[in-house]
Amino acid sequence: MVNIKTMQTNSRILGVLGGGQLGRMLIQSAINYNQDIHILDPDPDAPCKDFAREFTVGSLKDFDTVYAFGKKCDVITVEIESVNTDALERLEQEGKLVYPQPHILRLIQDKRAQKEFYKTNEIPTADFILTENKAEVIQNSDFLPAVNKLGKDGYDGRGVQVLRSADDLDKAFDAPGLLEKWIDFEREIAVTVARNANGDLAVYPSVECAFHPTANLVEFLFAPADITDEIEKKACEIARQIILRLNMVGILAVEMFVTKEGEILVNEIAPRPHNSGHHSIEANFTSQFEQHLRAVMNWPLGNTELRCPAAMINLLGEEGFTGPVVVEGKDEVMAEKGVYIHLYGKKITKPFRKMGHVTLLDDNVDNLKKRAQRIKDLLKIKSTL
Ligand SMILES: Nc1ncnc2c1ncn2[C@@H]1O[C@H](COP(=O)(O)OP(=O)(O)O)[C@@H](O)[C@H]1O
Ligand SMILES: [Mg+2]
């Protein structure tokens, strides 16, 4: 009889708060380095369930649950920001390595604090006003057109709404949030940057994000972004500055707007692997997941260059379908050159739920756009119900 514990291959355990698709792709990278990963997630059917060395079902927001989970690990990271930072702080005080550091998670949990951070550190960002409630938003109607954002607990477009004119004021959020100048940007880009505890730093070339017109979710991503070398340089420098100011260890995605005047404004940051870096699994020399692993484990960082122009297509649950997943059009898409399908193993689809993604490699940038649209039209996530 073999005791499966003896099969453990790495002495240091990496614990991840959250067991969704980001954790799942992190595990895929970790396997190559014999790095064991423990996962905590409230969903017993989370995408990581069958792949973690240990999978614990429990709340990410409960102090005792997060603390007890972290105690059994050596290094702790996250794949989602809304976690109990008090528990992480305690773990850090007791000698555990927590990356990104708890103070950074706390900052990111609140869009208001995040915006103040940019202001204090002279990082270019859209002008804003903090608002405590709906009445305060209404008082600031001369600030419109603006984007009204909830301070906490908004994600994937939830908690963000455009207030174009006074007619829209009625839908203002009645909770602490902010009003941000509406930016008529030319494009949205993202730059990923990584840093390990040694202080080594690596920046990825920028990518361009195209959003779904109504769902406020990334629909397509193109790498490289169609911007000048000068803007590229500026964007990478801003990302570098942010990770340095935060003194952060791990991987950080920086979402930015490029205005028609060529100005860059930081929209928001995510201190973890991010949707804007999914193409890097196939398109870059080092994927964002492997890079995050290298950063938090304090291993040497990998090369970030793009190997080939790429597109990424998010596979979102089709509207009108909720229930057990059926993937339509897979065989046809799989037959194409340079297509890499990633399904996240979620049991139930819902409209706009992130169910998977496709990376497409093509030397010809014009072809990329056409082919990405075709893949999106062919490959559909529906349901038996
Ligand atoms: N100030 C703004 N001006 C114009 N569009 C914006 C502004 N802020 C956000 N958006 C749009 O809304 C999207 C979602 O906003 P974001 O703050 O990134 O929230 P989320 O946490 O949902 O990603 C952005 O990617 C962008 O397309
Ligand atoms: Mg965003």
Short mmCIF file of all heavy atoms in Angstrom, two decimals, residues 111 126 147 149 154-158 160 162 180-185 188 211 216 255 257 267-268, ligand 1:
data_model
loop_
_atom_site.label_atom_id
_atom_site.label_comp_id
_atom_site.label_asym_id
_atom_site.label_seq_id
_atom_site.Cartn_x
_atom_site.Cartn_y
_atom_site.Cartn_z
N LYS A 111 -13.09 50.50 -4.41
CA LYS A 111 -12.72 51.34 -5.56
C LYS A 111 -12.44 52.78 -5.14
O LYS A 111 -11.69 53.49 -5.81
CB LYS A 111 -13.86 51.33 -6.60
CG LYS A 111 -13.86 50.07 -7.45
CD LYS A 111 -14.64 50.23 -8.74
CE LYS A 111 -14.26 49.10 -9.68
NZ LYS A 111 -15.35 48.43 -10.34
N ALA A 126 -8.98 59.01 -14.27
CA ALA A 126 -10.09 59.93 -14.54
C ALA A 126 -10.45 60.69 -13.26
O ALA A 126 -10.45 60.10 -12.17
CB ALA A 126 -11.29 59.15 -15.06
N VAL A 147 -19.40 58.15 -14.70
CA VAL A 147 -19.63 56.74 -14.42
C VAL A 147 -19.77 56.60 -12.92
O VAL A 147 -18.93 57.08 -12.16
CB VAL A 147 -18.47 55.86 -14.96
CG1 VAL A 147 -18.73 54.40 -14.69
CG2 VAL A 147 -18.32 56.09 -16.46
N LYS A 149 -19.81 54.35 -9.73
CA LYS A 149 -19.29 53.02 -9.35
C LYS A 149 -19.52 52.78 -7.87
O LYS A 149 -19.34 53.70 -7.06
CB LYS A 149 -17.79 52.93 -9.65
CG LYS A 149 -17.46 53.11 -11.11
CD LYS A 149 -15.98 52.86 -11.42
CE LYS A 149 -15.74 53.04 -12.91
NZ LYS A 149 -14.36 52.76 -13.32
N GLY A 154 -18.50 45.30 -6.34
CA GLY A 154 -18.89 45.28 -7.75
C GLY A 154 -17.84 44.51 -8.54
O GLY A 154 -16.68 44.56 -8.19
N TYR A 155 -18.24 43.75 -9.52
CA TYR A 155 -17.26 43.08 -10.38
C TYR A 155 -17.92 42.74 -11.71
O TYR A 155 -19.14 42.70 -11.81
CB TYR A 155 -16.70 41.81 -9.73
CG TYR A 155 -17.72 40.71 -9.59
CD1 TYR A 155 -17.76 39.67 -10.51
CD2 TYR A 155 -18.65 40.71 -8.56
CE1 TYR A 155 -18.71 38.66 -10.40
CE2 TYR A 155 -19.60 39.72 -8.44
CZ TYR A 155 -19.61 38.69 -9.36
OH TYR A 155 -20.56 37.71 -9.27
N ASP A 156 -17.07 42.51 -12.72
CA ASP A 156 -17.55 42.15 -14.05
C ASP A 156 -18.71 43.05 -14.51
O ASP A 156 -19.72 42.58 -15.01
CB ASP A 156 -18.00 40.68 -14.12
CG ASP A 156 -16.80 39.74 -14.17
OD1 ASP A 156 -15.67 40.23 -14.34
OD2 ASP A 156 -17.00 38.52 -14.05
N GLY A 157 -18.55 44.34 -14.30
CA GLY A 157 -19.55 45.28 -14.80
C GLY A 157 -20.71 45.52 -13.84
O GLY A 157 -21.46 46.47 -14.01
N ARG A 158 -20.87 44.64 -12.83
CA ARG A 158 -21.92 44.90 -11.84
C ARG A 158 -21.36 45.92 -10.86
O ARG A 158 -20.23 45.80 -10.41
CB ARG A 158 -22.29 43.60 -11.10
CG ARG A 158 -23.32 42.79 -11.89
CD ARG A 158 -23.41 41.37 -11.40
NE ARG A 158 -22.39 40.56 -12.05
CZ ARG A 158 -22.37 39.24 -12.00
NH1 ARG A 158 -23.26 38.59 -11.32
NH2 ARG A 158 -21.42 38.57 -12.65
N VAL A 160 -21.20 49.15 -11.80
CA VAL A 160 -20.70 50.24 -12.64
C VAL A 160 -21.83 50.65 -13.58
O VAL A 160 -22.41 49.79 -14.24
CB VAL A 160 -19.49 49.76 -13.50
CG1 VAL A 160 -19.08 50.85 -14.49
CG2 VAL A 160 -18.31 49.39 -12.62
N VAL A 162 -23.20 54.02 -16.31
CA VAL A 162 -22.96 55.35 -16.88
C VAL A 162 -24.18 56.23 -16.59
O VAL A 162 -25.32 55.81 -16.80
CB VAL A 162 -22.73 55.24 -18.41
CG1 VAL A 162 -22.45 56.62 -19.01
CG2 VAL A 162 -21.57 54.29 -18.70
N GLU A 180 -17.18 59.13 -11.50
CA GLU A 180 -15.93 59.30 -12.22
C GLU A 180 -16.27 59.91 -13.56
O GLU A 180 -17.26 59.51 -14.18
CB GLU A 180 -15.34 57.90 -12.39
CG GLU A 180 -13.97 57.85 -12.96
CD GLU A 180 -13.48 56.40 -13.04
OE1 GLU A 180 -13.23 55.78 -11.99
OE2 GLU A 180 -13.38 55.89 -14.16
N LYS A 181 -15.48 60.85 -14.02
CA LYS A 181 -15.73 61.46 -15.33
C LYS A 181 -15.85 60.37 -16.39
O LYS A 181 -15.02 59.43 -16.42
CB LYS A 181 -14.58 62.39 -15.71
CG LYS A 181 -14.72 63.76 -15.11
CD LYS A 181 -15.72 64.61 -15.88
CE LYS A 181 -15.84 66.00 -15.28
NZ LYS A 181 -17.17 66.60 -15.52
N TRP A 182 -16.86 60.47 -17.21
CA TRP A 182 -17.00 59.54 -18.32
C TRP A 182 -15.93 59.87 -19.35
O TRP A 182 -15.80 61.02 -19.76
CB TRP A 182 -18.40 59.63 -18.93
CG TRP A 182 -18.57 58.71 -20.11
CD1 TRP A 182 -18.68 57.36 -20.07
CD2 TRP A 182 -18.64 59.08 -21.48
NE1 TRP A 182 -18.82 56.85 -21.33
CE2 TRP A 182 -18.79 57.89 -22.23
CE3 TRP A 182 -18.58 60.31 -22.16
CZ2 TRP A 182 -18.89 57.88 -23.62
CZ3 TRP A 182 -18.68 60.29 -23.55
CH2 TRP A 182 -18.83 59.09 -24.26
N ILE A 183 -15.14 58.87 -19.72
CA ILE A 183 -14.02 59.08 -20.65
C ILE A 183 -14.40 58.54 -22.02
O ILE A 183 -14.73 57.35 -22.15
CB ILE A 183 -12.74 58.36 -20.13
CG1 ILE A 183 -12.38 58.80 -18.70
CG2 ILE A 183 -11.57 58.61 -21.09
CD1 ILE A 183 -12.06 60.27 -18.53
N ASP A 184 -14.34 59.40 -23.00
CA ASP A 184 -14.65 58.98 -24.37
C ASP A 184 -13.36 58.41 -24.97
O ASP A 184 -12.76 58.99 -25.86
CB ASP A 184 -15.14 60.21 -25.16
CG ASP A 184 -15.61 59.81 -26.54
OD1 ASP A 184 -15.89 58.61 -26.76
OD2 ASP A 184 -15.69 60.71 -27.40
N PHE A 185 -12.94 57.27 -24.42
CA PHE A 185 -11.61 56.75 -24.78
C PHE A 185 -11.57 56.16 -26.18
O PHE A 185 -12.59 55.80 -26.75
CB PHE A 185 -11.14 55.72 -23.75
CG PHE A 185 -12.13 54.61 -23.51
CD1 PHE A 185 -12.28 53.57 -24.40
CD2 PHE A 185 -12.91 54.60 -22.34
CE1 PHE A 185 -13.18 52.54 -24.16
CE2 PHE A 185 -13.81 53.58 -22.09
CZ PHE A 185 -13.95 52.54 -23.00
N GLU A 188 -9.34 50.50 -24.82
CA GLU A 188 -8.99 50.03 -23.47
C GLU A 188 -7.86 49.04 -23.60
O GLU A 188 -7.94 48.12 -24.44
CB GLU A 188 -10.19 49.33 -22.81
CG GLU A 188 -11.25 50.28 -22.35
CD GLU A 188 -12.24 49.61 -21.39
OE1 GLU A 188 -11.92 49.41 -20.21
OE2 GLU A 188 -13.35 49.30 -21.85
N PHE A 211 -14.93 45.24 -25.14
CA PHE A 211 -15.98 44.86 -24.18
C PHE A 211 -17.29 44.52 -24.86
O PHE A 211 -17.62 45.05 -25.91
CB PHE A 211 -16.19 45.98 -23.17
CG PHE A 211 -15.16 45.97 -22.09
CD1 PHE A 211 -13.86 46.38 -22.37
CD2 PHE A 211 -15.46 45.52 -20.83
CE1 PHE A 211 -12.88 46.35 -21.39
CE2 PHE A 211 -14.49 45.47 -19.84
CZ PHE A 211 -13.20 45.89 -20.12
N ASN A 216 -20.81 44.54 -20.20
CA ASN A 216 -19.67 45.15 -19.53
C ASN A 216 -18.57 44.15 -19.19
O ASN A 216 -17.84 44.31 -18.23
CB ASN A 216 -20.12 45.86 -18.26
CG ASN A 216 -19.62 47.30 -18.22
OD1 ASN A 216 -18.70 47.64 -18.96
ND2 ASN A 216 -20.21 48.12 -17.39
N GLU A 255 -5.66 47.91 -15.79
CA GLU A 255 -6.58 48.29 -16.87
C GLU A 255 -6.46 49.79 -17.10
O GLU A 255 -6.50 50.56 -16.15
CB GLU A 255 -8.03 47.98 -16.48
CG GLU A 255 -8.33 46.52 -16.24
CD GLU A 255 -9.81 46.31 -15.85
OE1 GLU A 255 -10.62 47.24 -15.93
OE2 GLU A 255 -10.12 45.18 -15.45
N PHE A 257 -7.31 53.28 -19.90
CA PHE A 257 -7.95 53.87 -21.07
C PHE A 257 -6.88 54.64 -21.84
O PHE A 257 -6.06 55.31 -21.22
CB PHE A 257 -9.03 54.88 -20.66
CG PHE A 257 -10.11 54.32 -19.78
CD1 PHE A 257 -10.54 55.01 -18.65
CD2 PHE A 257 -10.70 53.10 -20.08
CE1 PHE A 257 -11.53 54.50 -17.83
CE2 PHE A 257 -11.71 52.58 -19.26
CZ PHE A 257 -12.12 53.27 -18.14
N ASN A 267 -7.67 52.78 -15.13
CA ASN A 267 -9.06 52.51 -14.72
C ASN A 267 -9.08 51.76 -13.40
O ASN A 267 -9.55 52.27 -12.40
CB ASN A 267 -9.80 51.75 -15.81
CG ASN A 267 -11.19 51.34 -15.37
OD1 ASN A 267 -11.83 52.05 -14.59
ND2 ASN A 267 -11.66 50.20 -15.82
N GLU A 268 -8.56 50.55 -13.41
CA GLU A 268 -8.49 49.80 -12.15
C GLU A 268 -7.41 48.75 -12.23
O GLU A 268 -6.89 48.47 -13.31
CB GLU A 268 -9.85 49.17 -11.80
CG GLU A 268 -10.33 48.17 -12.80
CD GLU A 268 -11.48 47.33 -12.25
OE1 GLU A 268 -11.81 47.39 -11.05
OE2 GLU A 268 -12.05 46.56 -13.04
N1 LIG B 1 -14.68 56.59 -16.44
C1 LIG B 1 -15.11 55.75 -17.39
N2 LIG B 1 -15.40 56.23 -18.63
C2 LIG B 1 -15.85 55.41 -19.61
N3 LIG B 1 -16.04 54.08 -19.45
C3 LIG B 1 -15.75 53.54 -18.25
C4 LIG B 1 -15.28 54.35 -17.15
N4 LIG B 1 -15.10 53.54 -16.09
C5 LIG B 1 -15.44 52.29 -16.50
N5 LIG B 1 -15.83 52.27 -17.78
C6 LIG B 1 -16.25 51.09 -18.57
O1 LIG B 1 -16.85 50.13 -17.71
C7 LIG B 1 -16.05 48.94 -17.64
C8 LIG B 1 -16.12 48.35 -16.25
O2 LIG B 1 -15.64 49.26 -15.30
P1 LIG B 1 -14.59 48.86 -14.19
O3 LIG B 1 -14.37 50.03 -13.32
O4 LIG B 1 -13.40 48.27 -14.84
O5 LIG B 1 -15.45 47.79 -13.37
P2 LIG B 1 -15.36 46.21 -13.19
O6 LIG B 1 -14.91 46.06 -11.78
O7 LIG B 1 -16.74 45.75 -13.42
O8 LIG B 1 -14.38 45.67 -14.19
C9 LIG B 1 -14.66 49.42 -18.07
O9 LIG B 1 -13.88 48.36 -18.57
C10 LIG B 1 -15.02 50.43 -19.15
O10 LIG B 1 -15.36 49.81 -20.36
#
